[in-house]
Amino acid sequence: MSTDPAVAQGFDFSPWTFWTDVPGPEQERQLAWQGEQLGRRPGWAFGDRALLSRFASVDNEVLVLGPRSYVAAGAYLTGSVTTGRDCSINPYAVVRGNVVIGDAVRIGAHTSLLGFNHSFADPETEVFRQPLTSKGITVGNDVWIGSHVIVLDGVAVGDRSVLAAGAVVTKDVPAGAVVGGNPARLLRWRVPPAGAASDAAGRGRDGDLAASLRAVADRARDQAYDVIARCWDPAVGLFADRPGVAPTVRAQCDAVEIADLLLGEAPTQLPADEQLARLRAWQDEATGLVAELGADLRCGRPGAGWPDPVESYHILSVGHALSLLGSGFRVPIRFAARLSADELVPALEALPWGDRAWSAGHAVDAWATALVWNAAMGEAGVSGTSDALIGWLVRRADPMTGVWGRSTAEEGLLQPVNGFYRTTRGTFAQLGLPLPHPQRVVDTVLAHAQDTRWFGPGRHTACNVLDVAHPLWLTRHTGHRAEEVRATAARLAVDVLGQWQDGAGFGFRATAPGGRSADTVPGLQGTEMWLATLWLLADVLGLSDELGYRPRGVHRPEPAPGTAHAT
C-alpha cells in the first residue's frame, strides 16, 4: 500500500475504507488527531473506528460520532451533532444546529441539514441581527440522504426512509417513505406502512375501502332494529348492554345514540317521551348527578363532591341522550356550578396525570361537560373557573409530546394518549379551542398506534382505537405527517370493518384469533363507540360521506352549541 501523503489525503474525501486500507502510520496520525481534539473539546466523543477528517471544518459545542461513523473532508459542522453507528457525513455536507442522527445514516455530498433558523419578526431590524431559533432535526435509523438535499429546522425523518437527491425537505418524512422534489413530497414507499393505502396502488384500495364503508353502514342500518332489540329486557322495561347482563344507565343512553345515528329516531321499545321522562327523573335533585342502577333497578344517591367514574360518565351519556331526545337535565350539576378556580387548581394537581392520565382526563371531561350543560340552563358557574381549567391545561401540556402524562414501560403511551382524548374531548374539542401543540400530538399518537400490545391482531378495543382516531381527526388541519396519518386511519378502519357481527353489532374488543371473551360479545357500548370511531377514521380519509351518518351524541365532531370560540 502506498505511503504517499497525497494518497492518504484521498481517504479524507472517501473515508469508508480508511481503517482497512490506509497504512498504519496514517491511522495512528488520525487517532492522535482525534485525541488532540477530545483533549480540548469536553463535549466531543468518538466511537471505535470513527473518523474525523483533518480537512473538515468542525466547530461544535457537542460532537458525538458513533462507531464506524465519519466526517469527510470539506464538511462543515456547528452546534450539537450526534450520530449513531455506521453513519457518513460526506464531502462538503453541512450539518448545523441541533441535529440527532440514528444508526446507519448516509448523508450525500453537498447536502445541508440546518437545525436552526433566523427569526425576522422585527421588520426594523436587519435579519442577521435578530435572534436565532432552533427546533432541531432528528433522523431515524437506516436512512439514505442523497446529494444536494436540504433539510430544514424542525423536521423529523423517519426510520428506513430515502431522501432523493436535490430534495428540499420542509415537513416530517414518514418512516419507510421515499421523498423528492421542492418541496419534498412522497414518491413511493421503500417500506409501506402496514395496511397503507397511500401509494399508487393504494389509490385503488381507497375505492375498495369506500365500498367497504358503504357496505358495513348499510348492514348496520338494515340491522339496527335487531341490534337494539336483542338488548331490550321487556320484563323490566330497560336496556342492558348485551343479553344476559344487568341493565345500566349507560345502556339506555347507548340505545338512544345508536337509534339516532342509524335510524334518525328514538328506540321503538318505548315511546320517546317515556324514555325522556325516565332519564330526567334519574337525576338527583341535590347533586345534579345520575348514579348507577342498583339491584332494584333504581338509581341510588350519588356521592358528594367530584363524582366517581361511573357518575362522571353519566354526565356525558345521559346529557347527550337527553339532548338527542330534545331535552336536557332538570337541574344544574351542582359540583361544577359551585367549583371556584381556587378549588379547581388543587383538584387538577391531585389527579394522577403521571401514570393514570386516562383517569385524570376522565375527571376533566366530566367537569367541562357539566359546565356546558349548566351553561345551557343559564347556570354560568363561578367566574374564572373555566379559564383556570384551560390555562392550567395549556401550561401543563408537554411541548415535546403535546399530551399530559408520561410513557411507561408497562403500557407505553397508552395512558397519555387515552388521557389526551378524554381531556380534550370535554375541553378543547367541545369548546372549539385550538390545541397547544397539535403537531407534537400527531407524532405521539402515530408512535402509539404502532404499539402491537394495543394494536396487534385481535388486541383492539373501542376505547384504544377511538382515542387514536379522535386526536388524528382533531389535528388533521395541520397537514403534519399527512400520509402517515392517512395510512394509520386506513389500517384501523379496515380492522374495524371486519368486526361487525350480523344482527348483533360490534363487541367492545376485537375478536382475537385464538377465541372469544366477554368483551368481544357484541353490545350497545361497543356498537355505539365503533360506529363513531369509524366515522372519525373515514373523515380523516375524506370518506365519511360513504357512511351516510354523522355522530350527534357523546362523540359528535362539532363543538357544543353556544360555545363562544371557534377552531
Side-chain angles (χ1 to χ4, degrees):
M1 189 75 194
S2 172
T3 58
D4 185 340
V7 174
Q9 182 178 330
F11 284 95
D12 284 292
F13 289 87
S14 303
W16 37 88
T17 58
F18 180 87
W19 294 106
T20 57
D21 293 353
V22 171
E26 188 63 29
Q27 293 183 6
E28 292 173 6
R29 190 174 294 113
Q30 168 65 202
L31 293 173
W33 161 251
Q34 291 185 19
E36 178 185 338
Q37 301 306 308
L38 295 175
R40 59 189 185 89
R41 307 269 194 164
W44 288 26
F46 300 142
D48 182 52
R49 294 202 165 193
L51 184 145
L52 174 63
S53 171
R54 294 165 294 171
F55 301 102
S57 179
V58 183
D59 188 22
N60 295 78
E61 292 82 17
V62 175
L63 176 63
V64 178
L65 299 180
R68 300 175 302 282
S69 293
Y70 60 80
V71 178
Y76 176 33
L77 280 65
T78 67
S80 174
V81 177
T82 301
T83 82
R85 62 167 177 80
D86 298 302
C87 294
S88 67
I89 300 175
N90 276 331
Y92 307 108
V94 175
V95 184
R96 303 186 64 194
N98 296 314
V99 181
V100 177
I101 300 169
D103 294 332
V105 175
R106 316 302 266 191
I107 301 173
H110 300 280
T111 280
S112 296
L113 277 62
L114 305 175
F116 72 100
N117 210 340
H118 288 274
S119 59
F120 48 85
D122 182 1
E124 302 302 320
T125 302
E126 295 163 322
V127 171
F128 82 95
R129 300 183 188 278
Q130 297 192 44
L132 297 178
T133 62
S134 179
K135 299 177 182 177
I137 293 170
T138 59
V139 181
N141 301 321
D142 185 20
V143 175
W144 186 276
I145 303 177
S147 296
H148 295 277
V149 170
I150 299 174
V151 181
L152 298 184
D153 188 33
V155 166
V157 179
D159 294 344
R160 306 174 75 184
S161 56
V162 175
L163 280 54
V168 179
V169 184
T170 62
K171 295 182 179 180
D172 290 357
V173 177
V178 179
V179 302
N182 179 8
R185 61 181 179 83
L186 181 70
L187 301 177
R188 59 186 178 86
W189 292 101
R190 176 188 174 207
V191 183
S198 303
D199 56 10
R203 286 192 289 273
R205 289 197 296 273
D206 271 353
D208 295 340
L209 182 54
S212 298
L213 290 166
R214 287 194 301 274
V216 167
D218 288 344
R219 287 165 65 191
R221 270 186 293 273
D222 291 344
Q223 300 170 24
Y225 289 108
D226 293 337
V227 168
I228 296 170
R230 71 186 283 272
C231 299
W232 173 253
D233 185 347
V236 297
L238 290 166
F239 289 102
D241 179 66
R242 58 189 185 273
V245 301
T248 60
V249 171
R250 177 170 183 166
Q252 318 315 304
C253 303
D254 286 335
V256 170
E257 292 230 20
I258 294 167
D260 180 83
L261 192 70
L262 297 177
L263 303 171
E265 62 184 24
T268 58
Q269 281 69 24
L270 279 179
D273 58 350
E274 290 188 30
Q275 298 180 59
L276 175 61
R278 183 169 59 192
L279 288 173
R280 284 170 59 85
W282 284 345
Q283 188 185 24
D284 178 64
E285 185 79 23
T287 64
L289 298 172
V290 178
E292 187 53 277
L293 299 176
D296 60 356
L297 301 182
R298 297 176 181 271
C299 284
R301 182 67 183 270
W306 203 296
D308 72 17
V310 172
E311 292 166 6
S312 292
Y313 196 79
H314 291 167
I315 295 172
L316 279 65
S317 60
V318 176
H320 282 285
L322 289 171
S323 177
L324 293 173
L325 292 170
S327 186
F329 284 116
R330 291 184 297 111
V331 298
I333 298 167
R334 311 293 186 186
F335 86 98
R338 298 167 181 165
L339 198 63
S340 70
D342 289 342
E343 295 168 320
L344 172 68
V345 170
L348 290 170
E349 297 281 356
L351 293 172
W353 296 102
D355 59 351
R356 308 301 298 171
W358 184 92
S359 296
H362 182 77
V364 169
D365 193 1
W367 184 85
T369 303
L371 193 70
V372 168
W373 299 137
N374 287 355
M377 303 175 66
E379 173 57 71
V382 179
S383 177
T385 312
S386 179
D387 290 341
L389 171 65
I390 299 301
W392 190 92
L393 291 172
V394 169
R395 290 194 304 274
R396 294 304 183 93
D398 186 339
M400 300 302 294
T401 65
V403 302
W404 301 269
R406 299 182 298 273
S407 174
T408 65
E410 296 77 15
E411 295 184 299
L413 287 164
L414 181 70
Q415 287 288 330
V417 171
N418 288 11
F420 174 87
Y421 163 68
R422 289 306 305 269
T423 301
T424 58
R425 194 220 71 86
T427 56
F428 295 95
Q430 186 164 224
L431 300 176
L433 296 169
L435 297 172
H437 308 289
Q439 292 184 326
R440 300 292 74 81
V441 172
V442 175
D443 296 338
T444 301
V445 173
L446 287 178
H448 173 55
Q450 297 300 317
D451 191 332
T452 56
R453 289 176 293 180
W454 317 114
F455 300 97
R459 296 178 181 177
H460 304 83
T461 70
C463 272
N464 292 347
V465 179
L466 170 65
D467 296 358
V468 165
H470 189 268
L472 293 181
W473 182 87
L474 196 60
T475 57
R476 69 199 186 287
H477 65 283
T478 66
H480 183 58
R481 300 176 69 177
E483 292 294 336
E484 276 188 279
V485 169
R486 284 179 53 81
T488 299
R491 170 169 60 87
L492 294 175
V494 169
D495 292 339
V496 175
L497 291 169
Q499 294 298 321
W500 178 266
Q501 298 182 46
D502 284 333
F506 288 109
F508 177 78
R509 180 181 296 276
T511 303
R516 296 168 63 88
S517 59
D519 53 3
T520 65
V521 176
L524 297 177
Q525 178 184 350
T527 300
E528 185 276 319
M529 292 184 70
W530 282 118
L531 288 173
T533 301
L534 195 58
W535 187 93
L536 292 165
L537 294 170
D539 204 56
V540 168
L541 296 165
L543 298 173
S544 59
D545 287 347
E546 305 294 340
L547 294 169
Y549 64 77
R550 185 182 184 91
R552 299 199 310 137
V554 173
H555 304 112
R556 67 183 176 202
E558 293 83 12
T563 51
H565 305 280
T567 50

